Amino acid sequence: MTPPLRFASQSLKALAHQAVRRAPRSLLTNSAVQRAAYSSSSFVQGAMDDLKTGTSAYMDLYPEASTDGGLRLGNIVPDFSADTTHGHWESFHEWKKGKWAILFSHPADFTPVCTTEIGRLALKYDKLTEMDCLVATLSVDPVKSHEDWLRDVVAHCENEIEVKFPIIGDADRKVSTAFGMLDPGTSDDQDLPLTIRAVFIINPENKLMLALNYPACVGRNMDEIVRCVEALQLSYEKSIATPANWPNNHADIPMPDGSRSTEFKGSVFLLPTVSEEEAKERYPGHHTCNVPSKIPYLRLVKQDEVA
């Protein structure tokens, strides 16, 4: 049998290539190799699982700063000062210090899709606040335009709403440019230099965890944004990852005895960093999905067992 491989100082990419070339299938499924693939000395601190969290495992793969000036996942987001509908900020980082935050851009005030988006986001504000997640929106309009436009936003929304989050006035386009929401090389030549519809979800360490970009003609789904925050926060605290369509995933799955179960709807996956011994100890009710490869990597845990 091929002797155990030692990967302590190698990158994840090199590890994967070397493992595939040199190791038999049985070794590739060994929990020690899976754990080594994601090993790192840094752990997310706080009221969290003492196993390596999903955020820590995956953010280790991304640098805190890009080499070409672009903003990518894992990067520390730019800090900035700005005027907002809630007054002047000296520092975006200081405003959100120690909290999750959503930076939500819209192309322009007094436009139809943006009016509905700000109204719908306002309806989710209290829920996001309960999740300890701040919200700020932005366009290249001045603050006075935002203030005038908000009367239309409130009047148009069929629910009684109050827009409680600040809207940033980015008339000089500095924030939009820093976050890659428009091209600084062409914006001065445009008659109407609009930002894209962007969503940036930023963790308490000011790292970019998720970015969504939409064109001006498509409005965003606020339920999806809330779902993303919930998934990111769960992964931030636990050694899990959320499947596609979570929490509506795995609603009906086959069991080893030939029966089918609906008990795993909304379940999450354990990370490869969690050994089989740890999985049995921490999550004795976890279920490993049977697949043709026979590799035990699809390990489901009911969400209430990791919450």
Side-chain angles (χ1 to χ4, degrees):
M1 180 176 179
T2 304
L5 303 178
R6 302 185 183 277
F7 301 120
S9 63
Q10 299 180 31
S11 69
L12 179 61
K13 184 175 180 180
L15 165 67
H17 285 303
Q18 187 173 12
V20 169
R21 286 198 311 269
R22 295 175 54 190
R25 175 66 55 84
S26 60
L27 183 58
L28 287 175
T29 62
N30 184 276
S31 61
V33 176
Q34 292 175 327
R35 288 169 60 80
Y38 293 93
S39 64
S40 170
S41 60
S42 61
F43 284 77
V44 179
Q45 302 296 321
M48 303 173 187
D49 199 328
D50 58 358
L51 297 175
K52 195 171 183 65
T53 71
T55 292
S56 180
Y58 291 116
M59 285 298 103
D60 284 347
L61 305 178
Y62 308 120
E64 291 189 352
S66 65
T67 58
D68 59 4
L71 181 60
R72 296 185 177 87
L73 295 184
N75 292 171
I76 301 295
V77 300
D79 197 12
F80 58 87
S81 60
D83 291 323
T84 81
T85 53
H86 288 190
H88 182 75
W89 289 351
E90 284 298 329
S91 167
F92 172 67
H93 286 185
E94 189 63 30
W95 172 76
K96 69 165 292 295
K97 186 175 182 178
K99 293 183 179 291
W100 289 82
I102 295 172
L103 182 60
F104 182 103
S105 72
H106 65 274
D109 299 344
F110 299 101
T111 56
V113 177
C114 299
T115 299
T116 60
E117 287 188 317
I118 298 301
R120 287 291 158 183
L121 186 58
L123 290 172
K124 298 296 183 183
Y125 179 79
D126 288 343
K127 180 174 180 62
L128 289 165
T129 298
E130 291 172 1
M131 298 163 62
D132 205 28
C133 182
L134 300 176
V135 177
T137 65
L138 170 149
S139 80
V140 295
D141 302 287
V143 170
K144 180 60 166 62
S145 173
H146 295 331
E147 293 170 341
D148 293 341
W149 173 56
L150 284 178
R151 292 194 290 268
D152 288 357
V153 172
V154 172
H156 179 71
C157 192
E158 62 268 27
N159 304 80
E160 292 186 5
I161 64 166
E162 180 182 357
V163 179
K164 301 176 184 178
F165 46 78
I167 305 182
I168 299 165
D170 189 33
D172 60 7
R173 309 171 200 164
K174 288 183 179 178
V175 180
S176 303
T177 300
F179 278 77
M181 292 183 254
L182 50 75
D183 186 340
T186 61
S187 62
D188 288 337
D189 299 329
Q190 297 172 342
D191 293 332
L192 194 63
L194 304 179
T195 60
I196 58 175
R197 299 188 192 283
V199 179
F200 302 95
I201 301 179
I202 304 159
N203 79 3
E205 288 76 45
N206 297 325
K207 289 186 176 183
L208 179 62
M209 300 299 297
L210 183 147
L212 299 170
N213 292 333
Y214 285 65
C217 58
V218 179
R220 287 158 285 190
N221 186 315
M222 305 308 151
D223 290 327
E224 171 62 7
I225 293 172
V226 171
R227 186 191 78 92
C228 288
V229 175
E230 291 176 328
L232 288 168
Q233 289 186 343
L234 190 58
S235 178
Y236 184 80
E237 297 172 354
K238 302 293 181 179
S239 299
I240 62 91
T242 52
N245 294 342
W246 179 83
N248 298 310
N249 56 292
H250 294 88
D252 182 12
I253 62 173
M255 303 302 288
D257 63 2
S259 64
R260 301 193 70 86
S261 175
T262 59
E263 295 183 0
F264 285 87
K265 180 179 179 181
S267 56
V268 297
F269 284 127
L270 288 178
L271 295 182
T273 52
V274 180
S275 72
E276 191 59 31
E277 293 75 20
E278 289 168 333
K280 289 177 180 178
E281 177 184 352
R282 302 294 186 89
Y283 308 109
H286 78 277
H287 170 72
T288 301
C289 298
N290 184 30
V291 289
S293 69
K294 303 303 180 184
I295 302 175
Y297 63 98
L298 296 167
R299 299 179 295 173
L300 291 171
V301 177
K302 297 173 184 176
Q303 187 181 340
D304 60 2
E305 295 181 8
V306 298

